[in-house]
Amino acid sequence: MNDKKLTIAIAGASGFVGRKLIEHLLKTTNAHIVALSRFPKKSDNPRVEWRGCDLFSLLEIETALKNVDIAYYLVHSMLPSANLDQGSFADYDLLLADNFARSANDNNLLQVIYLGGLLPSTLKLSKHLESRFEVEQVFRDKKFALTTFRAGLVIGPKGSSFKIMYKLVKRLPVMVCPLWVNNPMTPIDLEDAVNCLGAVIGKSESFNKIYDISGSGQYTYLNLMQILGKRLKMKKLYLKLPVNFVGFSKLWVRLITQESKDLVYPLLDSIRYPMLCDESRRFKLDNYQ
């Protein structure tokens, strides 16, 4: 598809994936980029327009998506909001996604590209992963084509999961390691994730497809903490325990990192499962270049 006249909107443009995606699109496309933010901002690039948009407002989203061809949805509500202070993050996720899907549908968007989470091969999902899966369902059966990417840990500056891991390694001389630190996972580098997201713009072969994305290696959380400790040139003692201690882990992770429980608790609930890329759904970037 010729992208010279494309207008691409990014919901979640202020996040660490969104900002990297803007950089990538500026380098690889000629599209006009509409970055959605709760408050309008000034841009130093004429091809980037920051539009003020409160995703809780259906009217504001409908206005923000006018004359947009393709949209990215990178929003995950892990923190409290003043708009629905009695709701959970899962409530926010569903409400925001429904608002966005209805507005994208009414504005006749060609394609929505959604970044969700890898799903473990278990019938029981954490609230965090269940919410990401439910958002996928909200986007289905609309007039626009949906391209879904599922990723595990995205490693990059200012990523919430990576930031928590960094603080633990940086602040603890002795790491107490319950069983969950040995769960296997397939993380992906931020730049690799963005390359995948940018490769499917307007590509009909990606319409209504689900792709898993990951790096080339399989690791455990312990592996990554050990690698990070070496990069920081810090000597660490790792004490392995034969129990999971997920509930206790939530408390000490929050204590050490000083991060909100609304962020820490859902993430810790998710890591009790293996988070592996499904090879039958693995995205092959070479097919789209």
Side-chain angles (χ1 to χ4, degrees), residues 226-241:
Q226 291 170 329
I227 292 170
L228 187 54
K230 289 180 181 178
R231 292 284 179 89
L232 295 173
K233 298 181 179 179
M234 300 178 68
K235 292 185 178 180
K236 298 298 214 183
L237 179 62
Y238 300 91
L239 298 180
K240 297 181 181 180
L241 300 179

Side-chain angles (χ1 to χ4, degrees), residues 43-236:
S43 173
D44 56 5
N45 190 304
R47 287 176 51 207
V48 179
E49 174 191 356
W50 286 88
R51 289 183 187 173
C53 176
D54 184 346
L55 295 181
F56 283 100
S57 168
L58 184 61
L59 179 60
E60 288 191 25
I61 305 174
E62 289 178 346
T63 301
L65 291 181
K66 285 189 182 301
N67 302 315
V68 167
D69 301 296
I70 292 172
Y72 285 91
Y73 193 79
L74 311 175
V75 177
H76 302 295
S77 303
M78 297 290 288
L79 297 175
S81 167
N83 295 66
L84 288 174
D85 56 13
Q86 296 301 310
S88 69
F89 72 87
D91 296 326
Y92 306 148
D93 268 344
L94 285 177
L95 175 59
L96 301 185
D98 184 62
N99 282 348
F100 194 87
R102 290 165 62 187
S103 299
N105 203 60
D106 291 344
N107 277 291
N108 297 311
L109 267 65
L110 170 68
Q111 180 187 24
V112 169
I113 302 167
Y114 169 60
L115 178 62
L118 287 179
L119 298 179
S121 56
T122 176
L123 294 177
K124 183 175 176 59
L125 298 176
S126 69
K127 290 286 187 183
H128 178 212
L129 296 176
E130 184 178 40
S131 177
R132 300 242 177 141
F133 180 65
E134 288 174 343
V135 168
E136 281 186 30
Q137 310 312 307
V138 169
F139 285 128
R140 298 197 187 286
D141 301 322
K142 298 292 190 293
K143 289 187 293 185
F144 56 78
L146 176 65
T147 303
T148 299
F149 287 99
R150 294 174 178 171
L153 176 63
V154 179
I155 299 178
K158 299 183 179 180
S160 55
S161 299
F162 183 71
K163 180 171 62 174
I164 288 173
M165 186 178 298
Y166 177 86
K167 287 183 177 181
L168 290 175
V169 173
K170 187 76 172 177
R171 297 175 181 179
L172 290 175
V174 178
M175 302 287 292
V176 178
C177 302
L179 285 175
W180 60 260
V181 303
N182 297 308
N183 281 338
M185 63 168 171
T186 46
I188 186 168
D189 179 77
L190 173 60
E191 188 163 343
D192 290 339
V194 165
N195 287 339
C196 295
L197 290 170
V200 298
I201 296 171
K203 300 289 181 64
S204 59
E205 57 267 42
S206 75
F207 290 178
N208 302 312
K209 296 289 182 63
I210 299 173
Y211 299 107
D212 284 6
I213 56 174
S214 75
S216 58
Q218 179 174 309
Y219 300 86
T220 66
Y221 294 96
L222 179 57
N223 291 153
L224 291 185
M225 288 189 290
Q226 291 170 329
I227 292 170
L228 187 54
K230 289 180 181 178
R231 292 284 179 89
L232 295 173
K233 298 181 179 179
M234 300 178 68
K235 292 185 178 180
K236 298 298 214 183

Side-chain angles (χ1 to χ4, degrees), residues 8 10 13 18-19 21-27 31-36 41-51:
I8 300 174
I10 303 175
R19 288 189 175 276
L21 180 61
I22 291 173
E23 293 177 11
H24 177 79
L25 296 180
L26 287 174
K27 292 177 183 177
H32 179 68
I33 299 167
V34 174
L36 303 182
K41 303 178 183 180
K42 291 184 178 180
S43 173
D44 56 5
N45 190 304
R47 287 176 51 207
V48 179
E49 174 191 356
W50 286 88
R51 289 183 187 173

